Amino acid sequence: MPGVVIVGTQWGDEGKGRFTDYLAKESELVVRYQGGHNAGHTIVVDGEVFALQLVPSGVLYDYVTPVIGNGVVIDPAVLVDELDMLERKGLDTRRLRVSGNAHLIMPYHQELDRVTERYLGKNKLGTTKRGIGPAYADKALRVGLRVQDLLDAKIFREKLELVLREKNGVLAKVYNRLPLDADAICERYLGLVPRLEPLIADTVHLVHDALDAGQRVLFELTDPAAQGRDVLIALVGHAVSSAGVAAFEGSDRNVDLGGSLRGRQGHVD
């Protein structure tokens, strides 16, 4: 089971990006398994700078399949912008595979992130206000929308209208904000489907098949300080919103590091 997991052991900025890029050269799949677009890797190749927030660094190598796993929360507009940036620099992004089970960051997540921080005042958490924490909260509450929901406009709208009842109620009655419009959100998000649909895949089977075939798979952590600020073990108020420790990489990618969900026994180098 030739899997390698990269995590940070401190508070971030330990040079994970440098090691990720180094090991990506020797991998066949590079899998981003948690976090959102609040962090990333900056890689310099022949003097050209690539600032990656969502796309795994393996995209820089034409023999590597970059994968965004189901543990990531995705703002689809940010993802499309990043793909456009990479293509302007001459990279082929068609190899990217995005988990249909990954959760979407929605406009109400970003709005709630902003107003919550403002109302906390001096006790604010210092988030990036990009909606990542609220998106993970909805994932835990089982009311989040997923990437695969974009593929059916009717389902997407039904789920959106249902969740907006609660989100708009909170925004209006608690924070005195204007409600968000379902039509505008649908137009914005569903308009990105033609670009994203060819990339959406069952990444769980993709990774399992690669491991079964003996291919080298690199699991890439991008959220800052996975170990030191993991939501499961860090101090309250100092944690990121996702689980980044190696033990939970398996749950985010549906790969059990002690023996896979298919009952296979194995280990990670």
Side-chain angles (χ1 to χ4, degrees), residues 235-246:
L235 296 173
V236 174
H238 296 278
V240 295
S241 300
S242 58
V245 294

Side-chain angles (χ1 to χ4, degrees), residues 175-192:
Y175 296 110
N176 196 30
R177 305 293 294 178
L178 292 174
L180 299 177
D181 181 60
D183 290 337
I185 295 174
C186 283
E187 181 179 0
R188 174 184 170 190
Y189 276 64
L190 294 176
L192 298 171

Side-chain angles (χ1 to χ4, degrees), residues 48-88:
E48 190 160 20
V49 178
F50 297 87
L52 304 175
Q53 291 184 301
L54 282 171
V55 179
S57 57
V59 73
L60 300 180
Y61 306 101
D62 58 12
Y63 51 87
V64 175
T65 299
V67 179
I68 297 178
N70 50 278
V72 180
V73 289
I74 299 172
D75 183 327
V78 171
L79 177 56
V80 168
D81 286 345
E82 191 166 319
L83 294 175
D84 288 343
M85 176 272 294
L86 291 168
E87 290 185 357
R88 286 195 299 270

Side-chain angles (χ1 to χ4, degrees), residues 16-37:
K16 294 187 299 294
R18 188 175 304 170
F19 281 100
T20 299
D21 183 48
Y22 178 78
L23 293 175
K25 300 175 184 178
E26 303 174 355
S27 304
E28 289 161 283
L29 269 72
V30 177
V31 183
R32 168 81 184 276
Y33 64 86
Q34 55 74 244
H37 63 292

Side-chain angles (χ1 to χ4, degrees), residues 48 120 133 138 148 207 249:
E48 190 160 20
L120 286 173
D138 276 0
Q148 63 191 10
V207 173
E249 176 277 328

Side-chain angles (χ1 to χ4, degrees), residues 117-124:
E117 281 287 272
R118 185 161 64 247
Y119 272 70
L120 286 173
K122 66 179 182 179
N123 296 313
K124 66 182 180 180

Side-chain angles (χ1 to χ4, degrees), residues 45-230:
V45 179
D46 296 329
E48 190 160 20
V49 178
F50 297 87
L52 304 175
Q53 291 184 301
L54 282 171
V55 179
S57 57
V59 73
L60 300 180
Y61 306 101
D62 58 12
Y63 51 87
V64 175
T65 299
V67 179
I68 297 178
N70 50 278
V72 180
V73 289
I74 299 172
D75 183 327
V78 171
L79 177 56
V80 168
D81 286 345
E82 191 166 319
L83 294 175
D84 288 343
M85 176 272 294
L86 291 168
E87 290 185 357
R88 286 195 299 270
K89 293 177 179 286
L91 294 178
D92 183 2
T93 63
R94 292 175 296 177
R95 302 186 315 281
L96 176 68
R97 292 297 174 260
V98 181
S99 172
N101 285 328
H103 278 246
L104 294 169
I105 296 176
M106 304 297 292
Y108 47 81
H109 293 139
Q110 297 162 339
E111 182 68 6
L112 286 167
D113 206 352
R114 287 190 290 266
V115 296
T116 300
E117 281 287 272
R118 185 161 64 247
Y119 272 70
L120 286 173
K122 66 179 182 179
N123 296 313
K124 66 182 180 180
L125 299 174
T127 77
T128 57
K129 303 180 180 66
R130 296 178 181 178
I132 294 165
Y136 274 111
D138 276 0
K139 179 178 181 177
L141 287 169
R142 294 161 292 181
V143 297
L145 279 75
R146 300 185 184 219
V147 169
Q148 63 191 10
D149 294 326
L150 292 169
L151 302 179
D152 189 315
K154 182 180 178 182
I155 290 177
F156 182 83
R157 175 174 281 277
E158 287 176 352
K159 290 186 174 182
L160 176 63
E161 289 178 344
L162 181 62
V163 74
L164 272 182
R165 295 178 195 172
E166 186 261 338
K167 302 301 182 185
N168 278 338
V170 171
L171 287 170
K173 296 177 182 179
V174 177
Y175 296 110
N176 196 30
R177 305 293 294 178
L178 292 174
L180 299 177
D181 181 60
D183 290 337
I185 295 174
C186 283
E187 181 179 0
R188 174 184 170 190
Y189 276 64
L190 294 176
L192 298 171
V193 171
R195 185 69 188 281
L196 295 175
E197 184 172 8
L199 309 178
I200 300 172
D202 181 349
T203 59
V204 171
H205 280 85
L206 178 66
V207 173
H208 273 298
D209 290 344
L211 292 171
D212 282 339
Q215 296 180 4
R216 196 166 185 84
V217 180
L218 176 65
F219 295 96
E220 169 187 348
L221 173 82
T222 316
D223 224 341
Q227 307 273 39
R229 297 178 66 186
D230 187 287

